Amino acid sequence: MGELTEKQKAQALKTAQSLSKDKLHDMYTKMNHVRAFEDKVAYFFSRGMVHGTTHLYSGEEATAIGALANLDDDDLMTSTHRGHGHTIGKGIDLKKMMAELLGKETGYCRGKGGSMHIADLTRGNLGANGIVGGGIPIATGAGITLKLRNEGRVVVCFFGDGALNEGTFHESVNLASIWDLPVIYICENNQYGMSFSAKKSMNVDDLSVRAKAYGIPGVTVDGNDIFAVYEAVKKAKKHALKTGPYFIVSETYRFMGHSKSDANKYRSKEEIAEWKDRDPIPRMRAILVETGQFTDSELDAIEEQCKQDIEEAVKFAENSADPSVDSILDDVFAPSN
Amino acid sequence: MGELTEKQKAQALKTAQSLSKDKLHDMYTKMNHVRAFEDKVAYFFSRGMVHGTTHLYSGEEATAIGALANLDDDDLMTSTHRGHGHTIGKGIDLKKMMAELLGKETGYCRGKGGSMHIADLTRGNLGANGIVGGGIPIATGAGITLKLRNEGRVVVCFFGDGALNEGTFHESVNLASIWDLPVIYICENNQYGMSFSAKKSMNVDDLSVRAKAYGIPGVTVDGNDIFAVYEAVKKAKKHALKTGPYFIVSETYRFMGHSKSDANKYRSKEEIAEWKDRDPIPRMRAILVETGQFTDSELDAIEEQCKQDIEEAVKFAENSADPSVDSILDDVFAPSN
Amino acid sequence: MREITYAEAIREAMSEEMRRDESVFFFGEDIGIYGGAFGVSVGMIDEFGAERVRDTPISEAAIIGAAAGAAVSGSRPIAEIQFSDFISIGMDQLGNQAAKMRYMFGGHAEVPMVVRAPAGSGTGAAAQHSQSQEAWYCHIPGLKVVIPSTPYDAKGLLKTSIRDNNPVVFLEQKLLYRKKGEVPEEEYTIPLGKADIKREGSDLTIVTWGRMVSMVLEVADALKDQFSIEVLDPRTLVPLDRDAIVTSAKKTGHVLVVHEAVQTGGYGGEIVATVADSEAFYYLDAPIKRLGGLDIPIPYNPELERNAVPTPEKIEQAIRDLMA
Amino acid sequence: MREITYAEAIREAMSEEMRRDESVFFFGEDIGIYGGAFGVSVGMIDEFGAERVRDTPISEAAIIGAAAGAAVSGSRPIAEIQFSDFISIGMDQLGNQAAKMRYMFGGHAEVPMVVRAPAGSGTGAAAQHSQSQEAWYCHIPGLKVVIPSTPYDAKGLLKTSIRDNNPVVFLEQKLLYRKKGEVPEEEYTIPLGKADIKREGSDLTIVTWGRMVSMVLEVADALKDQFSIEVLDPRTLVPLDRDAIVTSAKKTGHVLVVHEAVQTGGYGGEIVATVADSEAFYYLDAPIKRLGGLDIPIPYNPELERNAVPTPEKIEQAIRDLMA
Ligand SMILES: Cc1ncc(C[n+]2csc(CCOP(=O)(O)OP(=O)(O)O)c2C)c(N)n1
Ligand SMILES: Cc1ncc(C[n+]2csc(CCOP(=O)(O)OP(=O)(O)O)c2C)c(N)n1
Ligand SMILES: [Mg+2]
Ligand SMILES: [Mg+2]
């Protein structure tokens, strides 16, 4: 079960071979950056060293990284409360990201946003979101801008299986559909919205059927196979630019609890173990070795480098100052001329 | 085009024959009550004799009357801004209804609600609604009560094609689906949400496809054929009681403008004429004559009686007092013990 | 000077800004061929086309949220919500998204959008189509809130709102749409945050906005031989010109706030609290009074509806009580 | 007397009412096996089963609207919204449906429902999970609004809210969930609309609610040698015990309102306006002061977050300013 099917594997090998070594290097690096970042955050939380709560992306990396590997810097993205993977996938300064988690002045949001509100508008990252389903209309509106400008850019909109039941999903996808907006809606079905399983919260087997309600294409992919995600989004991007919105359900799993306090009462150890077996990082690694594009030691080096990058980010964050209380009133309103 | 198809007609005759004369009498009476009521209200508005605005149901009668003919007094219903048909269909005191339109103390809402807020809880009418899509969660919640009580009762929830794009539709039907609530969702596709055609506001040909998103049955019926509507809702009711929610799209048309001020710029005279050709009242009448259950003169008498009933309702309303300004603060809160 | 209606003034403001800046676009329910529920946008689709004047489905959360998304990605959307009551459907997108983005992102975002919506009672549309909910929006940091009381103010304030780099809730007054007033042909704008003294006086300050302004002015004129009444229209509730209010209160020593919104929890409380905790407190010769709408949903019957909100009679009575 | 936590008090209230009246049921996100985001309902699904303790999808508009529908058809639902900030998603269902049904229908409906939701900052959850929006709900005729500040009040008020025949918004205070307080074993209820004087005093009245009550009490105790401070907790903001506030203001001649919500447009304005237009006005020796949250979204950094709302230091300063 942990392995890719033969067919999947053949496709994965083909996809890997179609990509440059640099590109794959970047993708594998990002996968490992996410994992290392989340491990560090989990550690911080377990020690009570960070304030608030956080939602970790470990286990789901292939979705964000595979999808966003299709995007250019000026393409856009909206993310979720579980946003670290998307944020890294879209390209980010890890130091400023870690600094934000620690609430520092040097953080992306100058310490005002924290884990759930990291954005980087310089790289087309329109922000994480604390409201389930909250980013879906925003991505859709960004799609209007892109449609009006007609510059060949797309928006990727991430949200969870839980968000699929918010009214914003429905209203937004319909709007994108009638206006042919270049938006790729990606539902990360990690099987649960907090404690409530997707199976219980929806009465459909394959969530991608929801696309039919809006007359747009909908597909389901193995979200733990980065190459499958990559191909699906590649196709979606073409469609988005030419025709209009596209809906992808990426089947995946979160390895950690929902947020910092989660006794995991709603799922079994066996289930977790089964999914850990399908960890997207070793899966990707196996393909890269099999195609011969990377040696094991090259990949080890990447993994090592990623951990070091995170340590450096931590160092930067820890050495950064807290924002001054005097800055508390800043940034409510933008200046206007 | 104005005629029923052969198949439809055969079915309509069969359905008519399956119903008692009393039942058919009641249905035909209600169809005509609605039409006469709306004609009267249109007249009042054209003369500026009524305050506010109103949304007339003329042309759509078969949907409400056909659907509600399946319900018992203690079954429940939620209605819309275009609610006169549903209200009459569920059974109402026409006098109190007309009095409410005229804002009188003797009206259903003591003059506080008006056209968009008539309810009759004694007959399971949970109320019209000024908010498009606003009644859908309410019907769903009523479904929870019925499910918990398990008394074999259902809720019928009416809304328009425009309401299909409100988030409340999506959230509510999903909820009803996972909880197997006995709710029949009936979308009255009168082809427009105000000026925006259903064709433009949704990118799907057959709106009933939306049921698939929730894993429930969805069908489309000719909403100007009262017998077709009746049969569809009959089936839906069985399903609702045994299994869970059901979605019906009833294809129909409003003969009048959206509300009192509507220049009809968004639709053609030809289109209106075509649909008037499919007027549900003569269609029903033709079937009743063809089965031999009613003579023309019996039906003429019903029509005449309906007009008289409305005149009497008007008389009652006109002779009623306005509410006293002293009552203005009443009824914000219910007393609690 | 030429006179145009409040609705025309709004249409002119939108059209001029759309001509001036092509990143401005306009969307909402039935705003195209229908021209909007109140006819505000009649003809605009002919000039600007269906790309920039977009009819939407009935999806208020998506409309408001899409405005935020369009704004943060470089457009300057104007979203129309057909009745301001329906903003409640998109309340999360307005209050938790559009208003907060800039602050949450540490100042690294601009969200230049306007949500236009008609407010107020008096049209016989009852409880769900007649509300005045400005107090809600004023309680959300990150939003500006504008309520024009004349065609002149409507045009100048809307142009400024469209150029503002923040989300603005622009509450139009249904009963004013057909009212005419002087509006110059030449370009002008009105800054947000500056109150307008609609009438000078020395005995009593009445702070009021929206359609209540003309009602209060009429009462003030009728009583001119008895009281010299100053009528202060803040025009924008956020930012609020607190200085102007305090200055006027110091001058007159009597303050009455009149608004159409339900009194309990209304923005009148903010005005009263502004005065009560200012140096004007020491100049007050009487309690600070509010006259808001009754604490009820708007009823349908016309006479009840009229009495649900301030009337000339109630305003006069409040003035007499205060000056007694 | 035995001591239990605020969260336990709430759970007891719900459980007792569900045992007492089988038309009461409870639903919301993750309230079943998970026990609720704050552990309030741990174990309830075991006692009452999945029919009466219903886990819902993430659909706040449907949750609030379904509560209204269940209520008007004869049930007495308790709906939990995981954070009160998310009520904005169901704002139309709350404000335009649940609250208005009775009035619109001329008194022919009862809508006995409770929307429970945790409010307030202090947990590091930032702008979209930390708000105090009671002022919004208070501005909607037809809703009652309750904010308990102790386990005792929480239990007694929640039981009354569940038995009330109207929609009640019951705002729990996140930072109080684990605070213990005395709660009798015996059945009791507390009427809505009755303020509680949490501390008697003669120099100054502080009106405050929710988690600010204990902070204000601490400051009042610390300053007891300098000022005799009366602390008045309205407990229910609608209905509001205006008499108790006016009586206290007359007694002390000094009034300060402290609340966590953003100051501008907050319910503090209502309290100030109540005093400023009452006979207490004539007894005032100083301006009426408010100390609310800053006019900003709640920031993430803990020190900023702490400073976004009233602190003991700011409360002390406000007292000193007022008594100067
Ligand atoms: C509107 C809203 N409702 C509820 C929550 C609380 N909450 C945060 S994450 C979450 C589960 C979300 O599930 P899903 O969309 O599947 O994303 P996942 O956490 O699985 O990545 C919930 C209920 C929220 N943040 N926003
Ligand atoms: C939430 C909301 N948005 C907009 C409106 C204004 N409005 C009233 S009826 C209507 C059209 C509704 O279309 P549909 O649901 O198809 O019903 P129909 O009028 O065709 O019967 C609109 C836009 C409203 N009342 N409520
Ligand atoms: Mg999930
Ligand atoms: Mg329609």
Side-chain angles (χ1 to χ4, degrees), chain B residues 81-82 130-132 160-163 166 190 192-194 258, chain C residues 29-30 58 60 82 86 89 129:
Chain B
H81 59 285
R82 197 176 302 289
I131 302 292
V132 169
D161 47 295
E166 286 283 7
N190 62 6
Y192 293 91
M194 203 157 156
H258 166 72
Chain C
E29 295 160 16
D30 308 292
I58 311 175
E60 287 78 10
Q82 202 163 81
F86 314 152
I89 298 175
H129 285 73

Side-chain angles (χ1 to χ4, degrees), chain A residues 276-289:
Chain A
K276 282 200 170 163
D277 224 35
R278 278 170 254 171
D279 188 330
I281 296 182
R283 275 181 163 195
M284 178 177 183
R285 184 177 167 123
I287 297 290
L288 296 185
V289 172

Side-chain angles (χ1 to χ4, degrees), chain B residues 34-35 38-39 56-61 253-256:
Chain B
V34 177
R35 184 65 57 88
E38 300 301 53
D39 284 345
L56 303 179
Y57 198 66
S58 311
E60 309 187 33
E61 293 88 347
Y253 201 76
R254 67 170 148 71
F255 290 168
M256 317 272 204

Side-chain angles (χ1 to χ4, degrees), chain A residues 9-319:
Chain A
K9 190 169 159 188
Q11 181 57 53
L13 291 168
K14 213 168 123 190
T15 301
Q17 277 155 342
S18 76
L19 293 168
S20 72
K21 186 158 180 178
D22 274 3
K23 183 77 188 176
L24 291 167
H25 191 286
D26 181 58
M27 288 164 75
Y28 195 66
T29 300
K30 283 177 170 160
M31 295 282 280
N32 281 283
H33 271 153
V34 177
R35 184 66 55 91
F37 191 93
E38 300 300 53
D39 284 346
K40 184 57 72 176
V41 176
Y43 169 82
F44 283 155
F45 270 94
S46 72
R47 297 287 161 118
M49 290 163 68
V50 197
H51 181 53
T53 189
T54 195
H55 308 85
L56 303 178
Y57 199 66
S58 312
E60 310 186 33
E61 293 88 347
T63 300
I65 309 305
L68 295 168
N70 287 284
L71 262 52
D72 296 320
D73 269 4
D74 61 353
D75 287 321
L76 304 178
M77 172 193 89
T78 62
S79 166
T80 68
H81 59 285
R82 195 176 303 287
H84 303 161
H86 315 134
T87 300
I88 290 173
K90 191 72 180 74
I92 194 117
D93 180 334
L94 289 170
K95 294 196 173 91
K96 288 165 75 179
M97 185 175 164
M98 187 62 85
E100 188 56 37
L101 254 99
L102 300 195
K104 298 305 178 87
E105 167 66 27
T106 55
Y108 261 96
C109 315
R110 304 175 61 199
K112 285 174 173 160
S115 167
M116 276 191 288
H117 304 297
I118 296 174
D120 183 354
L121 296 170
T122 66
R123 288 184 174 92
N125 174 353
L126 302 182
N129 210 308
I131 302 292
V132 169
I136 311 179
I138 295 170
T140 306
I144 305 174
T145 296
L146 300 193
K147 179 88 184 169
L148 288 172
R149 298 211 177 160
N150 195 18
E151 295 160 345
R153 295 154 64 197
V154 297
V155 193
V156 166
C157 174
F158 291 105
F159 48 88
D161 48 294
L164 266 187
N165 297 319
E166 286 283 9
T168 51
F169 166 77
H170 178 70
E171 297 188 6
S172 301
V173 179
N174 184 63
L175 201 67
S177 173
I178 62 163
W179 287 348
D180 304 331
L181 302 181
V183 186
I184 305 167
Y185 295 95
I186 302 183
C187 174
E188 307 183 299
N189 182 13
N190 64 5
Q191 316 303 322
Y192 294 90
M194 207 157 151
S195 69
F196 204 45
S197 76
K199 290 209 174 7
K200 287 186 188 164
S201 77
M202 285 168 275
N203 197 10
V204 288
D205 290 329
D206 179 353
L207 305 185
S208 70
V209 71
R210 290 207 162 168
K212 289 198 203 304
Y214 316 106
I216 65 169
V219 299
T220 296
V221 294
D222 180 339
N224 284 11
D225 172 359
I226 189 169
F227 300 107
V229 175
Y230 177 83
E231 289 293 345
V233 176
K234 188 173 161 187
K235 197 166 152 195
K237 187 180 171 187
K238 269 204 200 106
H239 181 90
L241 288 172
K242 232 181 89 183
T243 312
Y246 201 98
F247 182 51
I248 295 173
V249 177
S250 185
E251 294 287 332
T252 184
Y253 201 77
R254 69 171 148 70
F255 290 169
M256 317 272 205
H258 166 72
S259 64
K260 84 172 170 188
S261 47
D262 182 346
N264 275 322
K265 280 197 210 160
Y266 52 87
R267 55 184 192 172
S268 68
K269 287 215 178 70
E270 294 69 37
E271 184 184 282
I272 299 174
E274 226 176 68
W275 278 95
K276 282 200 170 163
D277 224 35
R278 278 170 254 171
D279 188 330
I281 296 182
R283 275 181 163 195
M284 178 177 183
R285 184 177 167 123
I287 297 290
L288 296 185
V289 172
E290 187 154 340
T291 61
Q293 288 164 297
F294 288 81
T295 64
D296 273 313
S297 61
E298 281 174 309
L299 295 167
D300 288 344
I302 293 177
E303 290 175 22
E304 196 40 50
Q305 182 62 45
C306 285
K307 283 182 192 141
Q308 274 182 37
D309 293 343
I310 299 303
E311 291 305 329
E312 268 180 43
V314 168
K315 227 174 281 159
F316 171 83
E318 287 180 339
N319 290 331

Side-chain angles (χ1 to χ4, degrees), chain C residues 50-123:
Chain C
E51 286 285 300
R52 290 181 73 201
V53 175
R54 293 178 168 252
D55 270 322
T56 65
I58 311 175
S59 307
E60 287 78 10
I63 293 170
I64 296 175
V72 76
S73 59
S75 300
R76 303 185 83 85
I78 306 167
E80 175 171 314
I81 297 294
Q82 202 163 81
F83 285 76
S84 65
D85 313 66
F86 314 152
I87 293 178
S88 60
I89 298 175
M91 199 65 189
D92 178 73
Q93 291 294 319
L94 183 68
N96 285 335
Q97 309 295 343
K100 294 187 171 53
M101 256 188 229
R102 182 174 179 81
Y103 192 84
M104 292 190 301
F105 298 169
H108 300 300
E110 285 184 359
V111 190
M113 60 184 264
V114 179
V115 176
R116 288 180 42 241
S121 63
T123 66

